[in-house]
Amino acid sequence: MTAPSRHVGGTNGFPLSAPLLSVENVTLEYQVPGRVVRATQNVSFDVWEADRFILLGASGCGKSTLLKAVGGFIAPREGRILLDGHPVHGPGPDRVVVFQEFDQLPPWKTVRENVAFPARVSGHLGRKEAAERAEHFIEKVGLTRFADAYPNTLSGGMKQRVAIARALAMEPRVLLMDEPFAALDALTRRKMQEELLALWEEVRFTLLFVTHSIEEALVVGNRIALLSPHPGRMRAEINSHEWDLTSGGSPAFQAAANRIHGLLFEEAGADGASHE
């Protein structure tokens, strides 16, 4: 499938178009016993259709809180979030979240039932169409042989494949992923990253992905927002496609990782945000 026309900085041959998702000067707060915590401060970024947009930062930078706000689970204290030009008010099937926890799958449902169920009960699809779409995405994530298996018989990586298939079966406008591979071992994590990219090449969904791993951000994303902590502010936005990152061990990849590390940590005392 050919990627939709979209803005990627205005210098790479793509026509300019309106962003699919806009986060505009968003400040987020949440309550803890005895005080209010400010998670983010005036964060702004745009996501275009078929982007693989990464929110990258250390613990405490508000990246997961931002993802929840895009999902409609948290309302901004200040600013606004727009999807297709309309303000986000509450959760909806146009934004589906894949979490890192494996307990999101009802254990009494088979893989097939787990994938089909959300699309059917939301009223998004009829029973027959939901079942057909479930079969389609189960095949896409390589679990056809395990369609009748229950979650307790699956490995962690396989459970995340089920969660991804279930999310894509909803055909969301934006797929939200909150450190989905963090609980996996290193080898399985890299395999899941590669499988996610292969799936994106075929389906071309729009992805908003949270991670604290610089390497994962460079592998998965085509655009990376760097967030400074306490509260989270935009440190920089990077178009990772500007580097030739053909191998995780290449000098170019390491140079990119070092540059991002510097922006996140060595320049953490600098004011404002920069763009590359």
Side-chain angles (χ1 to χ4, degrees):
M1 179 184 291
T2 301
S5 296
R6 57 186 174 85
H7 169 91
V8 288
T11 60
N12 297 286
F14 290 101
L16 296 175
S17 61
L20 172 62
L21 173 71
S22 292
V23 173
E24 299 180 352
N25 300 311
V26 167
T27 295
L28 297 168
E29 296 177 343
Y30 58 88
Q31 185 80 40
V32 298
R35 65 190 181 101
V36 173
V37 176
R38 178 155 290 192
T40 69
Q41 181 76 44
N42 296 330
V43 172
S44 297
F45 58 85
D46 292 317
V47 178
W48 273 264
E49 191 170 355
D51 261 342
R52 304 187 312 275
F53 195 93
I54 309 296
L55 296 176
L56 172 65
S59 297
C61 73
K63 55 189 184 297
S64 291
T65 307
L66 269 170
L67 195 82
K68 291 175 184 176
V70 172
F73 302 106
I74 300 173
R77 175 68 176 81
E78 299 173 0
R80 62 179 186 166
I81 299 171
L82 305 176
L83 183 67
D84 285 321
H86 302 289
V88 167
H89 295 299
D94 49 9
R95 289 150 289 131
V96 179
V97 186
V98 175
F99 297 98
Q100 67 172 276
E101 298 85 3
F102 300 144
D103 59 0
Q104 302 296 315
L105 303 175
W108 59 89
K109 292 184 181 295
T110 65
V111 167
R112 179 180 287 111
E113 292 166 341
N114 261 295
V115 175
F117 183 71
R120 180 169 59 81
V121 299
S122 69
H124 187 57
L125 297 173
R127 182 181 294 272
K128 182 175 183 294
E129 188 177 6
E132 291 173 351
R133 189 170 296 173
E135 296 295 334
H136 173 76
F137 283 105
I138 288 169
E139 188 275 329
K140 293 300 180 191
V141 299
L143 289 178
T144 299
R145 290 174 49 215
F146 300 92
D148 294 314
Y150 290 91
N152 67 343
T153 68
L154 305 178
S155 68
M158 293 168 73
K159 290 178 183 177
Q160 284 300 66
R161 290 190 187 98
V162 177
I164 293 168
R166 183 175 64 170
L168 291 176
M170 295 283 288
E171 293 195 331
R173 298 290 283 137
V174 184
L175 176 62
L176 309 174
M177 303 189 80
D178 188 6
E179 302 200 59
F181 310 139
L184 303 174
D185 65 82
L187 293 177
T188 304
R189 181 172 185 166
R190 187 53 186 266
K191 181 175 178 59
M192 290 299 299
Q193 293 164 357
E194 293 171 351
E195 290 181 358
L196 180 66
L197 289 176
L199 190 59
W200 179 87
E201 287 287 350
E202 186 167 353
V203 180
R204 291 299 170 102
F205 48 87
T206 303
L207 177 65
L208 182 61
F209 188 104
V210 164
T211 184
H212 62 267
S213 166
I214 293 174
E215 178 178 304
E216 182 166 70
L218 286 168
V219 169
V220 172
N222 70 311
R223 295 173 59 222
I224 305 171
L226 311 183
L227 299 175
S228 60
H230 309 303
R233 295 180 174 89
M234 286 289 290
R235 174 66 58 201
E237 184 182 309
I238 290 174
N239 291 330
S240 61
H241 60 76
E242 293 177 1
W243 286 296
D244 179 16
L245 305 178
T246 54
S247 170
S250 70
F253 191 99
Q254 190 58 52
N258 291 341
R259 176 60 176 149
I260 290 174
H261 187 278
L263 285 167
L264 282 174
F265 300 108
E266 295 169 14
E267 301 171 17
D271 292 328
S274 63
H275 291 266
E276 297 206 351

